[in-house]
C-alpha cells in the first residue's frame, strides 16, 4: 500500500465514530474509556474482543452473527482497521468498534471483569524462542486476559499454526486452565461452533486452498 493511501486512511479514521485511537501516554496515564465501554456503546450488552483484528473480517462476521453482543476489534495498524471500520459504518453495524492500540496494553484500556469473551484469530506464532514473549497466548498475556475478563470468560484461539495450537494446549494444561473444546482440524471434525466454521478471513481461505488444517481451542478463565 502506498504512503498516500495510508495517509488518506489515517485521516478518514479520525472522522469515523467507530474508531478510537488513544495515544500511548493517554492509555498508560489513565484511559477515559477504561471500565466504561458499555457507555460508549450506549447499552449493557456483553463485550467481545478480537485481538490483532487486521481488517476486521472476524469482528464484522461475529457482529453480524450475534447482534446481542458488542464487538471491538483491536490492532495497532490503522490502515488495516480502516477497512473494517468503513465496512461497519456502511452496513450500519452499531455493535462494532475498533481500537487502535498495542495488545500488550489491553489491561490498561479495559477494566477488571469488563469483557465477556476474547477471540484471537490467526496470530503470528512467533516461532523463535526469543519471540516467546510476543506469543499472544503466553502466560503474561493470559494473566492480562484473566484480569479483564468476567469470571468464567471465554477465550477462543483459531489458527493455521500447529505449533501455536500445541504450545497453547501445553501451557493451558500446565496452568490448570479449563479447556472447553479443542480441535486440530475444524473442517474435518464435528463439533466446532458455528462462529468457527462460518466466518473465514481472506488468509484463512488461502490456507484452506493449500490444504492447511485450521485448529481451534476454546478455554475458560476462572
Amino acid at each position: 500500500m502506498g504512503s498516500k493511501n495510508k495517509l488518506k486512511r489515517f485521516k478518514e479514521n479520525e472522522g469515523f465514530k467507530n474508531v478510537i485511537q488513544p495515544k500511548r501516554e493517554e492509555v498508560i496515564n489513565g484511559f477515559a474509556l477504561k471500565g466504561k465501554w458499555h457507555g460508549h456503546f450506549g447499552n449493557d450488552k456483553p463485550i467481545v474482543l478480537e485481538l490483532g483484528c487486521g481488517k476486521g473480517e472476524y469482528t464484522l462476521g461475529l457482529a453480524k452473527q450475534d447482534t446481542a453482543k458488542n464487538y471491538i476489534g483491536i490492532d495497532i495498524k490503522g490502515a488495516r482497521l480502516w477497512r473494517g471500520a468503513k465496512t461497519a459504518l456502511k452496513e450500519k453495524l452499531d455493535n462494532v468498534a475498533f481500537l487502535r492500540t498495542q495488545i500488550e496494553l489491553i489491561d490498561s484500556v479495559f477494566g477488571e471483569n469488563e469483557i465477556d469473551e476474547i477471540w484471537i484469530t490467526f496470530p503470528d506464532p512467533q516461532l523463535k524462542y526469543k519471540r516467546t514473549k510476543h506469543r499472544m497466548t503466553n502466560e503474561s498475556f493470559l494473566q492480562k486476559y484473566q484480569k479483564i475478563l468476567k469470571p468464567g470468560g471465554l477465550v477462543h484461539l483459531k489458527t493455521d499454526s500447529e505449533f501455536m495450537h500445541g504450545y497453547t494446549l501445553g501451557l493451558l494444561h500446565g496452568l490448570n486452565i479449563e479447556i472447553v473444546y479443542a480441535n486440530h482440524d475444524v473442517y474435518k471434525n464435528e463439533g466446532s461452533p458455528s462462529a468457527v466454521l462460518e466466518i473465514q478471513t481472506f488468509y484463512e481461505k488461502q490456507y484452506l486452498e493449500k490444504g492447511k488444517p485450521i485448529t481451534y481451542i476454546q478455554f475458560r478463565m476462572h
Side-chain angles (χ1 to χ4, degrees):
M1 184 188 301
S3 58
K4 287 186 177 180
N5 278 338
K6 281 189 176 181
L7 290 174
K8 181 181 177 182
R9 292 184 176 187
F10 291 155
K11 189 65 177 177
E12 286 191 27
N13 279 343
E14 293 175 5
F16 288 166
K17 64 180 181 180
N18 60 353
V19 176
I20 297 95
Q21 303 184 97
K23 294 180 180 179
R24 184 180 177 87
E25 304 79 50
E26 181 185 349
V27 170
I28 294 174
N29 295 324
F31 184 47
L33 280 174
K34 182 178 180 180
K36 301 177 182 177
W37 280 93
H38 283 110
H40 172 78
F41 286 103
N43 59 57
D44 293 324
K45 295 178 181 178
I47 297 175
V48 181
L49 308 181
E50 184 195 1
L51 306 184
C53 69
K55 296 180 181 179
E57 296 163 288
Y58 229 89
T59 300
L60 296 173
L62 291 168
K64 292 175 185 177
Q65 272 195 351
D66 192 351
T67 57
K69 296 178 182 178
N70 297 315
Y71 294 87
I72 304 173
I74 304 174
D75 207 295
I76 193 60
K77 299 294 181 68
R80 294 179 185 174
L81 281 181
W82 171 88
R83 178 69 273 168
K86 193 173 182 71
T87 300
L89 290 173
K90 182 180 179 181
E91 299 184 9
K92 298 181 179 179
L93 298 175
D94 295 330
N95 61 330
V96 175
F98 289 93
L99 174 64
R100 185 184 180 194
T101 194
Q102 294 169 304
I103 304 302
E104 55 263 35
L105 298 177
I106 193 169
D107 54 342
S108 294
V109 291
F110 298 103
E112 290 188 23
N113 307 328
E114 188 171 22
I115 303 304
D116 289 80
E117 294 180 49
I118 293 174
W119 280 81
I120 307 170
T121 53
F122 302 96
D124 186 333
Q126 306 289 356
L127 295 175
K128 294 182 178 179
Y129 178 76
K130 65 181 180 180
R131 300 289 296 176
T132 301
K133 65 179 181 180
H134 296 291
R135 290 179 197 149
M136 290 176 62
T137 55
N138 69 27
E139 188 170 355
S140 177
F141 275 114
L142 292 178
Q143 290 174 352
K144 292 177 184 288
Y145 304 155
Q146 185 173 33
K147 186 176 179 181
I148 65 172
L149 281 167
K150 292 180 179 177
L154 293 174
V155 181
H156 309 261
L157 171 66
K158 187 179 183 183
T159 175
D160 65 302
S161 171
E162 286 282 358
F163 169 81
M164 188 69 169
H165 182 77
Y167 165 81
T168 303
L169 280 178
L171 189 60
L172 295 175
H173 280 299
L175 295 173
N176 200 29
I177 293 174
E178 179 190 355
I179 299 170
V180 179
Y181 181 81
N183 194 325
H184 71 279
D185 195 339
V186 297
Y187 294 104
K188 288 188 177 179
N189 300 314
E190 297 181 357
S192 294
S194 61
V196 175
L197 301 175
E198 295 174 11
I199 304 174
Q200 294 181 357
T201 67
F202 172 79
Y203 290 109
E204 181 178 355
K205 292 174 182 176
Q206 289 190 331
Y207 300 146
L208 291 171
E209 288 175 2
K210 295 176 182 178
K212 294 188 72 175
I214 304 300
T215 72
Y216 170 71
I217 305 172
Q218 181 185 124
F219 56 97
R220 192 184 306 277
M221 305 295 291
H222 291 289

